Amino acid sequence: MSQSRTLFDKVWDAHVVRPESADTPAVLYIDLHLIHEVTSPQAFTELRQRGLRVRRPDRTLATMDHSTPTTPRNALGVIPVIDPQAIAQLDRLRANCADFGIPLYELGSSNQGIVHVIGPEQGLTQPGMTIVCGDSHTSTHGAFGALAFGIGTSEVGHVLATQCLLQYRPRTCAVRVEGRLQPGVTAKDIILAIIAKYGVGGGTGHVFEYMGEAIRALSMEERMTICNMSIEGGARAGMVAPDDMTFEYVAGRPYAPKGADFEAALARWRRLPGDPEARFDKEMFLDASALAPMITYGTNPGMGMPIDAAIPSPEQLPDASSRQALDKALSYMGLAPGKPLLGHKVDVVFIGSCTNSRISDLRQVAAFFKGRKVAEGVRVMVVPGSQQVKRQAEAEGLDEIFRAAGAEWREAGCSACLGMNDDKVPPGKYALSTSNRNFEGRQGPGARTLLASPLTAAATALTGVVTDPRTMLDGVATV
Amino acid sequence: MEPVTTFSGKAVALVADDVDTDQIIPAAYLKVTDKSGLAEGLFKAWRYLPDGTPSPDFPLNRPEAAGATVLVTGRNFGCGSSREHAPWALQGYGFKAVIALSFADIFRNNSLKIGLLPIVIDEASHRELLRYLEADPDTSVTVDLPNQQVILPGGRAVSFPIDGFAKHCLVHGVDQLGFILQQEESIAAYEAATPAWVNTLRPDERG
Ligand code: SF4
């Protein structure tokens, strides 16, 4: 093919089983299907009713993460589940996996964790793959140059039964991030700034490809943080062209190809980055060197600002509907327009979720916590993204640092990201969270969420009020 | 699935942009293993006061809104979580269509799969429809899927775009999974021709 193609084009083209026609969407092959307890049961019911089997259980992996508690293990080493509905949902997943031959990383088992943390960790997530999950943050896996997106339960059924999806080709959007981040500013701040600039619907209908100097300089885990929140910008997927850093990250992981297979895979992966002449349907731009740590003040991830800015006033906004939205958001949040967020008291600090619960996130937080105490009256939860992250953190002694600082060190899972399990933020209370959504009630009915980076979360945990991490970098190692 | 063609129904306006699926159905309702109880949780935090009584100001709670089958809302409806529970909840409550200025991608896909019509109309027609609803909350619209038109209360027909394949499936009651299953030969050929990208997972694999 002589035409120049983007990374997305190459991955898409390689997975078309039947091309799009005037009357029908393309039939797209899915390399890896991840499932969890919440969005899969009805799909299995559909399969049973129709007498269908799972076409490729060997390309399907299940885990338990959303409705699971993250309370420490009991004397028997078991994580106790108390909520009867959660028990029923977990039992159902167990039975479905057993009946259809799907591998399952059970609650408490050594590889269990948040679905978007375990894929990359196991080496299942590889460049050039198509990956889906009944979960919108599947976009995380795009950090490896995979085309990864969230689907609904009907489509989970389609993939279980056929390993394929009906899809129209989305449009592409280049997101250029140039310049170098200043100390104390992180990947999380880049993505929060992009969403603040282009809005929560800015990427609708598009697949983002993040590129530019700032993106190339990021580690794989930082790239995952950025791709993770593509959906918050309205894009279904976000991708980063794979490079040596990607290949090194994948190499040697349990499901990564080995030996000659790895060499063959590498040769294919190196051809994935977009051609220099390839065109995008849309472009976005951000200067990373000018960036401050970001924080949200409202009830969608687009309502974000530099941490040292003042909360915008509805009068500053151009149209009636955004004025009304900001009014409503600030009234829910109990925040005043024109006021700074710096110094605002918080009740909970949540460090976790598929956005920021990997080992590098925890190391950053530990560097801040080392030898210090979290503020009186603030509940600080540190929730590793997976059992493997947890073991790694414990091997490095990070858990000791968290505990000594007065933070809770919990079991792996989605935890307080979504207000579905026992970890919730009480009504009216303020939580500074490293997660991805600040929607009304997201962390529990009435909960008020401020989204920010792990560094901002760590600094805020120590002071008890919203704090710019740049003011606390002295004496902090590794950041 | 029952074919979806043309219907008339009462419309109710929820004037807001960026309504996320956490508002449509909060996570606490996602613990089901079927589709039961979801209508109860629809817009839970907006529909009820903290003491559990219906919030009198919420549009769906107004007496005129009883029996509404068309929801009229703003831009980027259904953003956020991919939960299909959101369209299930709307459908379970009785809605057959949502008219908006735009939809989030996953919500639109999910809705089309279950026959809840995601209808995008132009801004002028949207304003006109809201004006009718303000003037007379007991207003009906007609949705004509085969002709891709919404008939406003004044009789004006407004065209809307829709994914042609999804429309075909809805109008004729064709099942999308059935269509993919018919592609078995192509799928098998694709699998045979493509090198395995993933080391095979074994069913006895345990974390
Ligand atoms: S951590 Fe939060 S956003 Fe990520 S998969 Fe879990 S619930 Fe979804």
Side-chain angles (χ1 to χ4, degrees), chain B residues 53-106:
Chain B
T53 57
S55 170
D57 295 336
F58 190 63
L60 265 54
N61 290 339
R62 293 191 197 126
E64 322 81 80
T69 55
V70 177
L71 182 69
V72 184
T73 180
R75 218 174 282 283
N76 197 29
F77 186 78
C79 60
S81 158
S82 61
R83 55 189 73 169
E84 195 164 314
H85 307 70
W88 290 337
L90 286 159
Q91 197 173 53
Y93 187 84
F95 288 111
K96 295 179 174 177
V98 181
I99 300 181
L101 288 168
S102 61
F103 289 94
D105 292 329
I106 305 179

Side-chain angles (χ1 to χ4, degrees), chain A residues 363-376 380 398-407 455 457-464 467-479:
Chain A
R363 284 182 190 139
Q364 287 191 335
V365 174
F368 259 76
F369 280 8
K370 193 161 192 184
R372 303 199 241 197
K373 290 265 181 222
V374 306
E376 195 78 31
V380 181
L398 306 186
D399 59 322
E400 287 308 322
I401 298 177
F402 297 137
R403 280 199 207 93
L455 292 187
T460 300
L462 293 173
T463 59
T467 300
D468 186 337
R470 293 174 301 182
T471 62
M472 295 182 75
L473 291 176
D474 282 354
V476 173
T478 77
V479 264

Side-chain angles (χ1 to χ4, degrees), chain A residues 14 18 29 42 50 55-56 58 83 89 101 110-111 126 152-154 168 205 255 321 420 437 440 442, chain B residues 17 22-23 30-31 34 46 80-81 84 105 109-110 163 175 183-184 190-191 197 200-201 203 205 207:
Chain A
R18 180 190 144 128
Y29 196 79
Q42 300 85 351
R50 301 170 68 132
R55 183 184 176 86
R56 297 297 300 263
D58 58 330
D83 178 351
Q89 205 167 50
S110 64
N111 290 326
Q126 294 167 23
T153 299
S154 293
Y168 290 99
Y255 285 99
S321 70
M420 178 164 185
R437 286 182 176 146
E440 286 182 34
R442 170 76 182 185
Chain B
D17 291 339
D22 272 86
Q23 305 318 310
L30 308 189
K31 294 184 198 170
D34 54 16
W46 293 347
S81 158
E84 195 164 314
D105 292 329
N109 280 345
N110 288 344
D163 151 10
D175 148 58
Q183 314 302 315
E184 171 56 32
Y190 177 91
E191 284 177 330
W197 289 80
T200 300
L201 285 148
E205 190 85 20

Side-chain angles (χ1 to χ4, degrees), chain A residues 30 32-34 36 39 115-116 130-142 147-156 159 165-167 207 227-228 230-231 235-238 437, chain B residues 80-84 104-107 109-110 113:
Chain A
I30 302 304
L32 177 65
H33 187 194
L34 302 168
H36 62 73
T39 55
V115 64
H116 311 307
T130 46
I131 302 176
V132 298
C133 173
D135 193 288
S136 61
H137 291 101
T138 309
S139 57
T140 313
H141 308 262
L147 173 61
F149 53 92
I151 56 178
T153 299
S154 293
E155 291 182 319
V156 169
V159 180
L165 275 179
L166 293 169
Q167 290 285 304
V207 167
C227 288
N228 173 273
S230 302
I231 181 75
R236 277 187 85 181
R437 286 182 176 146
Chain B
S81 158
S82 61
R83 55 189 73 169
E84 195 164 314
D105 292 329
I106 305 179
F107 179 87
N109 280 345
N110 288 344
K113 294 281 185 302

Side-chain angles (χ1 to χ4, degrees), chain A residues 66 114-116 135 137 353-354 414 417-418 436 442:
Chain A
H66 281 67
I114 305 174
V115 64
H116 311 307
D135 193 288
H137 291 101
S353 91
C354 56
C414 295
C417 175
L418 90 164
N436 42 54
R442 170 76 182 185

Side-chain angles (χ1 to χ4, degrees), chain A residues 24-45:
Chain A
T24 53
V27 176
L28 195 72
Y29 196 79
I30 302 304
D31 291 320
L32 177 65
H33 187 194
L34 302 168
I35 61 178
H36 62 73
E37 72 275 20
V38 178
T39 55
S40 65
Q42 300 85 351
F44 282 106
T45 303

